[in-house]
Amino acid sequence: MKRITRRGFIRYAALGVAVFVGGGVAGRYVAPLKMTTYGTRHRLAITEALAQMVDRRPVYHWAFEDLDSLEHLPQMPGPLIQAIEGDEVNFSVTNTLREAHGFRIPGVPGEVGAGIVIGPGETRTFEFAAPVGGSYMYLDHLNAPVNRVLGLHGPMIVLPKSGNTPYSEPTPTVQSLFDDLGTTDFFPGEPWRPERTRVWLFSSIDPRFNSMAERGESIDASRFREEFLPRYFTINGESGAYAAHNHHTVPSGRIGQPHLLRLMNAGMTADSPHIHGNHVYLVAWTDLAGNYRVEDNVRFVDTFTTDPGGRMDWLLPFRRPPDIPGDPNIPLRQLVRTELSLTLGGVGQSPLTYPMHGHNEISQSAAGGNYPQGMVTGWQITGDLDGVDFPPSNPKEQGGVNEETHGGH
Amino acid sequence: MAPRSIPLRPVPPDEFPIFHKHVCPPTFGGEAIDPVPPTRQIARNLLVNRDLELRDGTKVPMWLFEDPDDDTESGTTLPGKTVRTVEGDIVHARVGAKTNTHTIHWHGIEPTSMNDGVGKHSFEISGNFVYQFATNQAGTFLYHCHKNTGLHFEMGLYGAVIVDPKKPDIPEAHGVPDPPYPAGGPGFVRAFNPPSHVVRYDVEALWVPDDIDTRWHELGHNAFMQKCDPDNPIAAEDFTQDGFLNDFRPDVFGLSGEAKRVDDDSPFERAAVHAKVGQTVLIRFIDAAYNVNVIRVGLPLQLIAVDGYPRGVPPAGKYSRPINLPAGEPIRITAAMRGDALIRPTEPGRFPVAFDFFHWVTGKRLYTARTFIDVTAR
């Protein structure tokens, strides 16, 4: 099998997590998701799985499986596919289920962009040239949006062949934004690096429909659109505390280390993701006409809409949070020394952590409540601009036990 | 073959504190941490129970902020009494949790984690706490309780934070009081206008669409929360299974604190704008609804800022520019997005303003809230 040769893996035996640490051209690939596939040949299966929700209830899903993964497990979302513009990408997709399924990557020219149909038990092999740099989502386009929402979706990242932005064809303003990172007073620190990337793939799950699929019943797409009542909300397949404390999802760095966040919405709900601590630049998005494009008039926002099926790229500048009072020339490790030394509820206030969550707060629920076990994650600032990390908090516990929250109802 | 399982990621016991804190933040209180002398001090207490009265006499229970230093009606309003500061201020905000525990998140203002008002990243207030933050960017922001937020935000625990630019030393500034500028105008707003990047306005309006599911308004403070077990914060048996905070079916719609039942299509008076030909009108909008909102204004307008930051004003706004919209062009927003717009009416008349609410899953239109801009001859 043809693979990019220079690659390396670290395996965390306990978690079964693979992290890519290759160099050279291959080193431009990133590994933000739990599982990722490498190189330009991908052998996927369309299969079924019982995915455990945040409250440990199993929910039947249709899911992709990376047949070359050592995990031998389906994944939700599907594995992260990475390519460089122009790469010859080869897919072999086997449908192990009882009904036809599809494979489509919106935005890719040719047959894979139009959608390929794979009959029960069939394997389809196809090739395409990796399209222009950007964020993509592969999905089962049949019976839309049912098959996508029942689990058959995954992220694809394409990097440009050259340049210092994530795009092959950046607009002049996006080019100047990336040129300014690390070179202007407003963005002291470093330029963006491709490995400073996270995928935030949102989905929503209504188990009533998943049960219908499990029983082999056909699902009417218009009824699905009409009656869908999400019970679980996920980011990269995880909810709540799991998504908020997974370092493959949570960007982490010192002040001056900008990250690109690639948001995708495979679910059914319009949400309003809000990030704390820094505003972000909306550099590319699926606009209201339905086209994913690099933006020319780049908003600086703390909240923006994601629509079902949409994609959106945020540049998180990792600026020193601008509303911390005091002399901006004093490193935070000295300016807010007391705060960073505190341990509250058994958790240190160092490093500084900030949430990102759906502000259509309905998405913060799981099983109809249990705030905030829904669509939430975050980011963390580990140190100052001068490269010195914040000291760890004093492990001595401070703050009271929240008796009132205990007991819930 | 039976479907295989995708298990939840195993949580090692040393991660239990952070998983536990995610759901059950500790309490904390007291004076500002790492204090810097303030240039402005404000106070808010949570919460006051008030009924929102509809035209047919129906009462919807709400939870409101109160300003303990203002015992008039204006201290306890929906939206909450506006927090108004000046660019560059260092603010000390004394927040009192009078019933249970709460937080205040100063949405769009970006201080340290302990001053950001999110329990799982810091603590919930028991008693009092003094939040400390600077307001370094002039624009339209938001404050709200960030506890069991789906419910507390819905119940009315939100209000505007308006940060005003300093008054410029130019002839136009005559007759404008010093900032913070009075609600309703006149004043100055940050907008692309080199070299000063401020624009004088005569009339100011605050448009805050909201949607209300009255079933939610019968719920208690901690409705449908997960039970906390520090020794096993992921225990399945501690998750509530009978909640409906995922099921939002609004039957009442609001605009700037005035509310109407879904079958009441009379115009909203409180959000109506009254201006004269030749005046500059500043509209600040804040989305407090969960459904998708589309605003259509019957006059041309210029979008000058989003989420507190002015378009086109360097350094942050260098990569954007103001947008001129013709009359009736839709502005689509979702929860907690904000914007500032300038309108310069050139002829007298009554111009319609509509807020369409579209369902957050089906996309179907649920309601249209109507108000208007009345322009009289100069």
mmCIF file of all heavy atoms in Angstrom, chain A residues 55 65 180 226 231 242 272 276 279 281 322 338-339 353-354 370-372 400 402 404, chain B residues 4 9 22 34 110-112 121 124 136 149 222 224 241 307 316 318-319 335 364:
data_model
loop_
_atom_site.group_PDB
_atom_site.id
_atom_site.type_symbol
_atom_site.label_atom_id
_atom_site.label_comp_id
_atom_site.label_asym_id
_atom_site.label_seq_id
_atom_site.Cartn_x
_atom_site.Cartn_y
_atom_site.Cartn_z
ATOM 1 N N ASP A 55 -24.022 9.986 29.340
ATOM 2 C CA ASP A 55 -24.656 9.376 30.525
ATOM 3 C C ASP A 55 -24.555 7.847 30.491
ATOM 4 O O ASP A 55 -25.271 7.154 31.197
ATOM 5 C CB ASP A 55 -26.121 9.822 30.639
ATOM 6 C CG ASP A 55 -26.942 9.435 29.416
ATOM 7 O OD1 ASP A 55 -26.382 8.839 28.469
ATOM 8 O OD2 ASP A 55 -28.157 9.740 29.388
ATOM 9 N N GLU A 65 -15.411 3.099 9.795
ATOM 10 C CA GLU A 65 -14.294 2.432 10.450
ATOM 11 C C GLU A 65 -13.084 2.528 9.537
ATOM 12 O O GLU A 65 -13.200 2.290 8.323
ATOM 13 C CB GLU A 65 -14.628 0.960 10.722
ATOM 14 C CG GLU A 65 -13.466 0.215 11.366
ATOM 15 C CD GLU A 65 -13.791 -1.245 11.683
ATOM 16 O OE1 GLU A 65 -14.937 -1.666 11.432
ATOM 17 O OE2 GLU A 65 -12.888 -1.946 12.169
ATOM 18 N N ASP A 180 0.425 39.285 9.388
ATOM 19 C CA ASP A 180 0.596 40.133 10.576
ATOM 20 C C ASP A 180 0.856 39.321 11.849
ATOM 21 O O ASP A 180 1.309 39.882 12.851
ATOM 22 C CB ASP A 180 -0.655 41.006 10.783
ATOM 23 C CG ASP A 180 -0.731 42.148 9.773
ATOM 24 O OD1 ASP A 180 0.227 42.327 8.994
ATOM 25 O OD2 ASP A 180 -1.766 42.856 9.760
ATOM 26 N N GLU A 226 -38.747 17.255 10.585
ATOM 27 C CA GLU A 226 -39.883 17.829 11.317
ATOM 28 C C GLU A 226 -39.838 17.502 12.808
ATOM 29 O O GLU A 226 -40.132 18.347 13.647
ATOM 30 C CB GLU A 226 -41.159 17.236 10.705
ATOM 31 C CG GLU A 226 -42.414 17.993 10.956
ATOM 32 C CD GLU A 226 -42.461 19.288 10.159
ATOM 33 O OE1 GLU A 226 -41.774 19.402 9.112
ATOM 34 O OE2 GLU A 226 -43.167 20.174 10.611
ATOM 35 N N ARG A 231 -31.230 14.843 21.825
ATOM 36 C CA ARG A 231 -31.100 14.483 23.238
ATOM 37 C C ARG A 231 -29.639 14.568 23.685
ATOM 38 O O ARG A 231 -29.363 14.744 24.857
ATOM 39 C CB ARG A 231 -31.645 13.061 23.424
ATOM 40 C CG ARG A 231 -31.730 12.620 24.872
ATOM 41 C CD ARG A 231 -32.504 11.302 24.976
ATOM 42 N NE ARG A 231 -32.425 10.728 26.297
ATOM 43 C CZ ARG A 231 -33.241 11.035 27.313
ATOM 44 N NH1 ARG A 231 -34.190 11.941 27.132
ATOM 45 N NH2 ARG A 231 -33.098 10.464 28.484
ATOM 46 N N TYR A 242 -16.127 15.332 28.843
ATOM 47 C CA TYR A 242 -15.230 14.556 27.983
ATOM 48 C C TYR A 242 -14.652 15.435 26.870
ATOM 49 O O TYR A 242 -13.454 15.392 26.587
ATOM 50 C CB TYR A 242 -15.965 13.365 27.365
ATOM 51 C CG TYR A 242 -16.304 12.287 28.372
ATOM 52 C CD1 TYR A 242 -17.486 12.321 29.093
ATOM 53 C CD2 TYR A 242 -15.430 11.229 28.610
ATOM 54 C CE1 TYR A 242 -17.802 11.343 30.029
ATOM 55 C CE2 TYR A 242 -15.726 10.245 29.534
ATOM 56 C CZ TYR A 242 -16.914 10.306 30.239
ATOM 57 O OH TYR A 242 -17.211 9.341 31.162
ATOM 58 N N SER A 272 -24.937 28.552 18.013
ATOM 59 C CA SER A 272 -24.315 29.862 18.093
ATOM 60 C C SER A 272 -23.076 29.743 18.970
ATOM 61 O O SER A 272 -23.059 30.223 20.093
ATOM 62 C CB SER A 272 -25.359 30.821 18.704
ATOM 63 O OG SER A 272 -25.091 32.146 18.407
ATOM 64 N N HIS A 276 -14.856 32.225 24.856
ATOM 65 C CA HIS A 276 -14.463 33.176 25.899
ATOM 66 C C HIS A 276 -12.966 33.479 25.784
ATOM 67 O O HIS A 276 -12.198 32.708 25.213
ATOM 68 C CB HIS A 276 -14.718 32.569 27.284
ATOM 69 C CG HIS A 276 -16.153 32.305 27.617
ATOM 70 N ND1 HIS A 276 -16.698 32.591 28.863
ATOM 71 C CD2 HIS A 276 -17.168 31.765 26.903
ATOM 72 C CE1 HIS A 276 -17.971 32.232 28.890
ATOM 73 N NE2 HIS A 276 -18.292 31.720 27.711
ATOM 74 N N HIS A 279 -11.593 37.193 21.214
ATOM 75 C CA HIS A 279 -12.395 37.152 19.996
ATOM 76 C C HIS A 279 -11.616 36.341 18.946
ATOM 77 O O HIS A 279 -10.405 36.150 19.081
ATOM 78 C CB HIS A 279 -12.643 38.564 19.462
ATOM 79 C CG HIS A 279 -13.804 39.279 20.127
ATOM 80 N ND1 HIS A 279 -13.944 39.374 21.488
ATOM 81 C CD2 HIS A 279 -14.876 39.947 19.602
ATOM 82 C CE1 HIS A 279 -15.055 40.075 21.770
ATOM 83 N NE2 HIS A 279 -15.640 40.427 20.636
ATOM 84 N N TYR A 281 -11.140 35.533 14.538
ATOM 85 C CA TYR A 281 -11.392 36.014 13.179
ATOM 86 C C TYR A 281 -12.112 34.934 12.391
ATOM 87 O O TYR A 281 -11.658 33.782 12.343
ATOM 88 C CB TYR A 281 -10.080 36.399 12.492
ATOM 89 C CG TYR A 281 -9.514 37.697 13.032
ATOM 90 C CD1 TYR A 281 -8.524 37.689 14.009
ATOM 91 C CD2 TYR A 281 -9.997 38.919 12.592
ATOM 92 C CE1 TYR A 281 -8.018 38.884 14.530
ATOM 93 C CE2 TYR A 281 -9.510 40.117 13.098
ATOM 94 C CZ TYR A 281 -8.525 40.085 14.065
ATOM 95 O OH TYR A 281 -8.039 41.272 14.577
ATOM 96 N N PRO A 322 -7.550 40.729 26.553
ATOM 97 C CA PRO A 322 -7.310 42.174 26.501
ATOM 98 C C PRO A 322 -7.919 42.971 27.646
ATOM 99 O O PRO A 322 -7.595 44.144 27.788
ATOM 100 C CB PRO A 322 -7.953 42.573 25.169
ATOM 101 C CG PRO A 322 -8.992 41.528 24.928
ATOM 102 C CD PRO A 322 -8.448 40.262 25.498
ATOM 103 N N THR A 338 -1.741 35.819 42.395
ATOM 104 C CA THR A 338 -2.631 35.216 43.394
ATOM 105 C C THR A 338 -3.605 34.252 42.720
ATOM 106 O O THR A 338 -3.786 33.116 43.147
ATOM 107 C CB THR A 338 -3.426 36.300 44.144
ATOM 108 O OG1 THR A 338 -2.504 37.285 44.590
ATOM 109 C CG2 THR A 338 -4.188 35.715 45.316
ATOM 110 N N GLU A 339 -4.231 34.735 41.655
ATOM 111 C CA GLU A 339 -5.200 33.885 40.956
ATOM 112 C C GLU A 339 -4.561 32.581 40.503
ATOM 113 O O GLU A 339 -5.106 31.491 40.707
ATOM 114 C CB GLU A 339 -5.797 34.615 39.746
ATOM 115 C CG GLU A 339 -6.669 33.692 38.898
ATOM 116 C CD GLU A 339 -7.515 34.402 37.862
ATOM 117 O OE1 GLU A 339 -7.701 35.626 37.958
ATOM 118 O OE2 GLU A 339 -8.020 33.711 36.957
ATOM 119 N N THR A 353 -7.914 28.847 31.812
ATOM 120 C CA THR A 353 -8.752 28.106 30.861
ATOM 121 C C THR A 353 -10.040 28.878 30.580
ATOM 122 O O THR A 353 -10.565 29.569 31.448
ATOM 123 C CB THR A 353 -9.116 26.700 31.384
ATOM 124 O OG1 THR A 353 -9.931 26.838 32.553
ATOM 125 C CG2 THR A 353 -7.871 25.900 31.717
ATOM 126 N N TYR A 354 -10.510 28.744 29.353
ATOM 127 C CA TYR A 354 -11.721 29.437 28.907
ATOM 128 C C TYR A 354 -12.610 28.463 28.140
ATOM 129 O O TYR A 354 -12.097 27.623 27.393
ATOM 130 C CB TYR A 354 -11.369 30.606 27.978
ATOM 131 C CG TYR A 354 -10.594 31.703 28.664
ATOM 132 C CD1 TYR A 354 -9.204 31.717 28.638
ATOM 133 C CD2 TYR A 354 -11.252 32.712 29.365
ATOM 134 C CE1 TYR A 354 -8.487 32.719 29.276
ATOM 135 C CE2 TYR A 354 -10.548 33.716 30.008
ATOM 136 C CZ TYR A 354 -9.163 33.717 29.961
ATOM 137 O OH TYR A 354 -8.460 34.702 30.600
ATOM 138 N N ASN A 370 -28.834 18.085 32.894
ATOM 139 C CA ASN A 370 -27.428 17.752 33.181
ATOM 140 C C ASN A 370 -26.451 18.789 32.628
ATOM 141 O O ASN A 370 -25.362 18.444 32.163
ATOM 142 C CB ASN A 370 -27.086 16.351 32.635
ATOM 143 C CG ASN A 370 -28.005 15.290 33.194
ATOM 144 O OD1 ASN A 370 -28.022 15.058 34.389
ATOM 145 N ND2 ASN A 370 -28.801 14.675 32.329
ATOM 146 N N TYR A 371 -26.828 20.071 32.717
ATOM 147 C CA TYR A 371 -25.922 21.151 32.306
ATOM 148 C C TYR A 371 -24.578 20.993 33.013
ATOM 149 O O TYR A 371 -24.559 20.736 34.197
ATOM 150 C CB TYR A 371 -26.544 22.502 32.659
ATOM 151 C CG TYR A 371 -25.659 23.686 32.367
ATOM 152 C CD1 TYR A 371 -25.684 24.302 31.118
ATOM 153 C CD2 TYR A 371 -24.800 24.206 33.335
ATOM 154 C CE1 TYR A 371 -24.868 25.379 30.844
ATOM 155 C CE2 TYR A 371 -23.981 25.281 33.057
ATOM 156 C CZ TYR A 371 -24.023 25.867 31.815
ATOM 157 O OH TYR A 371 -23.207 26.944 31.538
ATOM 158 N N PRO A 372 -23.442 21.210 32.375
ATOM 159 C CA PRO A 372 -23.201 21.443 30.962
ATOM 160 C C PRO A 372 -22.554 20.217 30.334
ATOM 161 O O PRO A 372 -21.373 20.192 30.065
ATOM 162 C CB PRO A 372 -22.240 22.630 30.987
ATOM 163 C CG PRO A 372 -21.425 22.434 32.264
ATOM 164 C CD PRO A 372 -22.209 21.490 33.161
ATOM 165 N N GLY A 400 -15.404 26.756 48.896
ATOM 166 C CA GLY A 400 -16.308 25.861 49.612
ATOM 167 C C GLY A 400 -16.850 24.780 48.717
ATOM 168 O O GLY A 400 -16.789 24.873 47.497
ATOM 169 N N ASN A 402 -19.897 23.112 47.027
ATOM 170 C CA ASN A 402 -21.181 23.655 46.628
ATOM 171 C C ASN A 402 -22.300 22.694 47.019
ATOM 172 O O ASN A 402 -22.820 21.946 46.215
ATOM 173 C CB ASN A 402 -21.175 23.930 45.129
ATOM 174 C CG ASN A 402 -22.338 24.793 44.730
ATOM 175 O OD1 ASN A 402 -23.309 24.911 45.466
ATOM 176 N ND2 ASN A 402 -22.234 25.404 43.575
ATOM 177 N N GLU A 404 -25.267 23.255 47.673
ATOM 178 C CA GLU A 404 -26.561 23.561 47.087
ATOM 179 C C GLU A 404 -26.720 22.873 45.725
ATOM 180 O O GLU A 404 -27.814 22.440 45.363
ATOM 181 C CB GLU A 404 -26.667 25.080 47.005
ATOM 182 C CG GLU A 404 -27.864 25.611 46.280
ATOM 183 C CD GLU A 404 -27.498 25.899 44.856
ATOM 184 O OE1 GLU A 404 -26.362 26.342 44.600
ATOM 185 O OE2 GLU A 404 -28.341 25.635 43.996
ATOM 186 N N ARG B 4 -20.550 -3.478 17.255
ATOM 187 C CA ARG B 4 -19.536 -3.317 18.310
ATOM 188 C C ARG B 4 -19.789 -2.026 19.083
ATOM 189 O O ARG B 4 -20.492 -1.141 18.627
ATOM 190 C CB ARG B 4 -18.146 -3.295 17.677
ATOM 191 C CG ARG B 4 -17.708 -4.658 17.154
ATOM 192 C CD ARG B 4 -16.583 -4.551 16.165
ATOM 193 N NE ARG B 4 -17.041 -3.911 14.935
ATOM 194 C CZ ARG B 4 -16.229 -3.466 13.984
ATOM 195 N NH1 ARG B 4 -14.917 -3.576 14.126
ATOM 196 N NH2 ARG B 4 -16.709 -2.920 12.904
ATOM 197 N N ARG B 9 -14.482 7.339 26.570
ATOM 198 C CA ARG B 9 -13.063 7.356 26.920
ATOM 199 C C ARG B 9 -12.920 7.068 28.423
ATOM 200 O O ARG B 9 -13.631 7.658 29.240
ATOM 201 C CB ARG B 9 -12.530 8.749 26.586
ATOM 202 C CG ARG B 9 -11.161 9.078 27.052
ATOM 203 C CD ARG B 9 -10.634 10.294 26.278
ATOM 204 N NE ARG B 9 -11.419 11.516 26.443
ATOM 205 C CZ ARG B 9 -11.242 12.386 27.433
ATOM 206 N NH1 ARG B 9 -10.350 12.162 28.374
ATOM 207 N NH2 ARG B 9 -11.963 13.496 27.490
ATOM 208 N N HIS B 22 -16.678 20.210 36.578
ATOM 209 C CA HIS B 22 -17.421 20.556 35.364
ATOM 210 C C HIS B 22 -18.919 20.694 35.666
ATOM 211 O O HIS B 22 -19.604 21.536 35.099
ATOM 212 C CB HIS B 22 -17.209 19.461 34.308
ATOM 213 C CG HIS B 22 -17.755 19.803 32.953
ATOM 214 N ND1 HIS B 22 -17.004 20.440 31.992
ATOM 215 C CD2 HIS B 22 -18.973 19.603 32.403
ATOM 216 C CE1 HIS B 22 -17.734 20.620 30.912
ATOM 217 N NE2 HIS B 22 -18.935 20.116 31.122
ATOM 218 N N ASP B 34 -6.057 39.796 43.064
ATOM 219 C CA ASP B 34 -5.020 40.607 42.404
ATOM 220 C C ASP B 34 -5.564 41.997 42.065
ATOM 221 O O ASP B 34 -5.599 42.409 40.891
ATOM 222 C CB ASP B 34 -4.519 39.905 41.118
ATOM 223 C CG ASP B 34 -3.878 38.561 41.414
ATOM 224 O OD1 ASP B 34 -2.952 38.509 42.248
ATOM 225 O OD2 ASP B 34 -4.321 37.544 40.824
ATOM 226 N N GLU B 110 -12.973 40.302 28.088
ATOM 227 C CA GLU B 110 -12.055 39.170 28.199
ATOM 228 C C GLU B 110 -11.017 39.362 29.291
ATOM 229 O O GLU B 110 -9.893 39.774 29.048
ATOM 230 C CB GLU B 110 -11.459 38.891 26.798
ATOM 231 C CG GLU B 110 -12.546 38.311 25.881
ATOM 232 C CD GLU B 110 -12.369 38.544 24.387
ATOM 233 O OE1 GLU B 110 -11.503 39.331 23.987
ATOM 234 O OE2 GLU B 110 -13.146 37.923 23.609
ATOM 235 N N PRO B 111 -11.411 39.076 30.553
ATOM 236 C CA PRO B 111 -10.485 39.163 31.684
ATOM 237 C C PRO B 111 -9.886 37.784 32.005
ATOM 238 O O PRO B 111 -9.903 36.887 31.157
ATOM 239 C CB PRO B 111 -11.391 39.657 32.807
ATOM 240 C CG PRO B 111 -12.736 39.066 32.490
ATOM 241 C CD PRO B 111 -12.784 38.828 31.002
ATOM 242 N N THR B 112 -9.353 37.610 33.220
ATOM 243 C CA THR B 112 -8.835 36.294 33.620
ATOM 244 C C THR B 112 -9.995 35.340 33.887
ATOM 245 O O THR B 112 -11.150 35.751 33.992
ATOM 246 C CB THR B 112 -7.988 36.395 34.896
ATOM 247 O OG1 THR B 112 -8.830 36.854 35.958
ATOM 248 C CG2 THR B 112 -6.793 37.310 34.730
ATOM 249 N N HIS B 121 -14.877 26.791 35.263
ATOM 250 C CA HIS B 121 -13.510 27.268 35.081
ATOM 251 C C HIS B 121 -13.025 28.067 36.284
ATOM 252 O O HIS B 121 -11.884 28.532 36.286
ATOM 253 C CB HIS B 121 -13.400 28.119 33.822
ATOM 254 C CG HIS B 121 -13.553 27.307 32.562
ATOM 255 N ND1 HIS B 121 -12.477 26.809 31.864
ATOM 256 C CD2 HIS B 121 -14.659 26.858 31.919
ATOM 257 C CE1 HIS B 121 -12.915 26.113 30.832
ATOM 258 N NE2 HIS B 121 -14.233 26.124 30.848
ATOM 259 N N GLU B 124 -18.631 29.300 41.630
ATOM 260 C CA GLU B 124 -19.896 30.031 41.701
ATOM 261 C C GLU B 124 -19.884 30.868 42.973
ATOM 262 O O GLU B 124 -19.274 30.476 43.974
ATOM 263 C CB GLU B 124 -21.077 29.051 41.686
ATOM 264 C CG GLU B 124 -21.242 28.413 40.310
ATOM 265 C CD GLU B 124 -22.227 27.250 40.267
ATOM 266 O OE1 GLU B 124 -22.734 26.851 41.330
ATOM 267 O OE2 GLU B 124 -22.461 26.736 39.152
ATOM 268 N N ASN B 136 -11.710 47.708 27.745
ATOM 269 C CA ASN B 136 -10.750 48.394 26.868
ATOM 270 C C ASN B 136 -11.274 48.623 25.463
ATOM 271 O O ASN B 136 -10.633 49.310 24.686
ATOM 272 C CB ASN B 136 -9.447 47.589 26.811
ATOM 273 C CG ASN B 136 -8.626 47.794 28.080
ATOM 274 O OD1 ASN B 136 -8.673 48.873 28.682
ATOM 275 N ND2 ASN B 136 -7.910 46.775 28.521
ATOM 276 N N THR B 149 -27.105 27.450 32.564
ATOM 277 C CA THR B 149 -27.326 28.630 31.727
ATOM 278 C C THR B 149 -28.533 28.506 30.808
ATOM 279 O O THR B 149 -29.233 29.488 30.572
ATOM 280 C CB THR B 149 -26.071 28.931 30.880
ATOM 281 O OG1 THR B 149 -24.925 28.767 31.702
ATOM 282 C CG2 THR B 149 -26.100 30.318 30.328
ATOM 283 N N ASN B 222 -32.284 24.622 40.054
ATOM 284 C CA ASN B 222 -31.340 23.572 39.651
ATOM 285 C C ASN B 222 -32.023 22.494 38.820
ATOM 286 O O ASN B 222 -31.589 21.344 38.817
ATOM 287 C CB ASN B 222 -30.711 22.918 40.882
ATOM 288 C CG ASN B 222 -29.777 23.870 41.587
ATOM 289 O OD1 ASN B 222 -29.076 24.635 40.954
ATOM 290 N ND2 ASN B 222 -29.796 23.835 42.909
ATOM 291 N N PHE B 224 -33.218 19.670 36.675
ATOM 292 C CA PHE B 224 -32.640 18.648 35.796
ATOM 293 C C PHE B 224 -31.106 18.621 35.828
ATOM 294 O O PHE B 224 -30.467 18.189 34.878
ATOM 295 C CB PHE B 224 -33.130 18.820 34.354
ATOM 296 C CG PHE B 224 -34.619 18.931 34.220
ATOM 297 C CD1 PHE B 224 -35.194 19.930 33.449
ATOM 298 C CD2 PHE B 224 -35.456 18.043 34.885
ATOM 299 C CE1 PHE B 224 -36.573 20.036 33.334
ATOM 300 C CE2 PHE B 224 -36.837 18.141 34.767
ATOM 301 C CZ PHE B 224 -37.392 19.144 33.985
ATOM 302 N N GLN B 241 -32.720 11.870 33.912
ATOM 303 C CA GLN B 241 -33.207 11.350 32.629
ATOM 304 C C GLN B 241 -34.584 11.900 32.259
ATOM 305 O O GLN B 241 -35.120 11.566 31.230
ATOM 306 C CB GLN B 241 -33.262 9.810 32.679
ATOM 307 C CG GLN B 241 -31.879 9.172 32.732
ATOM 308 C CD GLN B 241 -31.100 9.361 31.437
ATOM 309 O OE1 GLN B 241 -31.633 9.263 30.358
ATOM 310 N NE2 GLN B 241 -29.808 9.656 31.561
ATOM 311 N N ASP B 307 -20.169 42.163 17.721
ATOM 312 C CA ASP B 307 -19.669 41.609 18.989
ATOM 313 C C ASP B 307 -18.719 42.562 19.721
ATOM 314 O O ASP B 307 -17.730 42.151 20.330
ATOM 315 C CB ASP B 307 -18.975 40.258 18.739
ATOM 316 C CG ASP B 307 -19.966 39.169 18.346
ATOM 317 O OD1 ASP B 307 -21.182 39.458 18.322
ATOM 318 O OD2 ASP B 307 -19.537 38.040 18.053
ATOM 319 N N ALA B 316 -7.603 45.798 15.582
ATOM 320 C CA ALA B 316 -8.383 44.555 15.521
ATOM 321 C C ALA B 316 -9.262 44.496 14.281
ATOM 322 O O ALA B 316 -9.449 43.438 13.694
ATOM 323 C CB ALA B 316 -9.229 44.406 16.780
ATOM 324 N N LYS B 318 -8.849 45.861 11.345
ATOM 325 C CA LYS B 318 -8.155 46.171 10.100
ATOM 326 C C LYS B 318 -8.579 45.256 8.951
ATOM 327 O O LYS B 318 -8.440 45.609 7.779
ATOM 328 C CB LYS B 318 -6.658 46.005 10.373
ATOM 329 C CG LYS B 318 -5.723 46.280 9.236
ATOM 330 C CD LYS B 318 -4.275 46.004 9.673
ATOM 331 C CE LYS B 318 -3.385 45.745 8.464
ATOM 332 N NZ LYS B 318 -2.057 45.240 8.856
ATOM 333 N N TYR B 319 -9.086 44.073 9.276
ATOM 334 C CA TYR B 319 -9.368 43.058 8.247
ATOM 335 C C TYR B 319 -10.840 43.064 7.823
ATOM 336 O O TYR B 319 -11.313 42.149 7.166
ATOM 337 C CB TYR B 319 -8.933 41.677 8.761
ATOM 338 C CG TYR B 319 -7.552 41.775 9.385
ATOM 339 C CD1 TYR B 319 -7.408 41.924 10.760
ATOM 340 C CD2 TYR B 319 -6.417 41.826 8.576
ATOM 341 C CE1 TYR B 319 -6.144 42.095 11.334
ATOM 342 C CE2 TYR B 319 -5.160 42.010 9.129
ATOM 343 C CZ TYR B 319 -5.027 42.138 10.508
ATOM 344 O OH TYR B 319 -3.784 42.331 11.063
ATOM 345 N N ALA B 335 -28.160 33.297 19.015
ATOM 346 C CA ALA B 335 -28.043 33.648 20.431
ATOM 347 C C ALA B 335 -26.716 34.322 20.767
ATOM 348 O O ALA B 335 -25.648 33.820 20.428
ATOM 349 C CB ALA B 335 -28.207 32.396 21.280
ATOM 350 N N LYS B 364 -38.483 26.553 10.475
ATOM 351 C CA LYS B 364 -39.793 27.143 10.174
ATOM 352 C C LYS B 364 -39.989 28.459 10.930
ATOM 353 O O LYS B 364 -39.568 28.587 12.072
ATOM 354 C CB LYS B 364 -40.905 26.181 10.589
ATOM 355 C CG LYS B 364 -41.020 25.002 9.664
ATOM 356 C CD LYS B 364 -42.309 24.249 9.912
ATOM 357 C CE LYS B 364 -42.497 23.201 8.823
ATOM 358 N NZ LYS B 364 -43.469 22.190 9.208
#
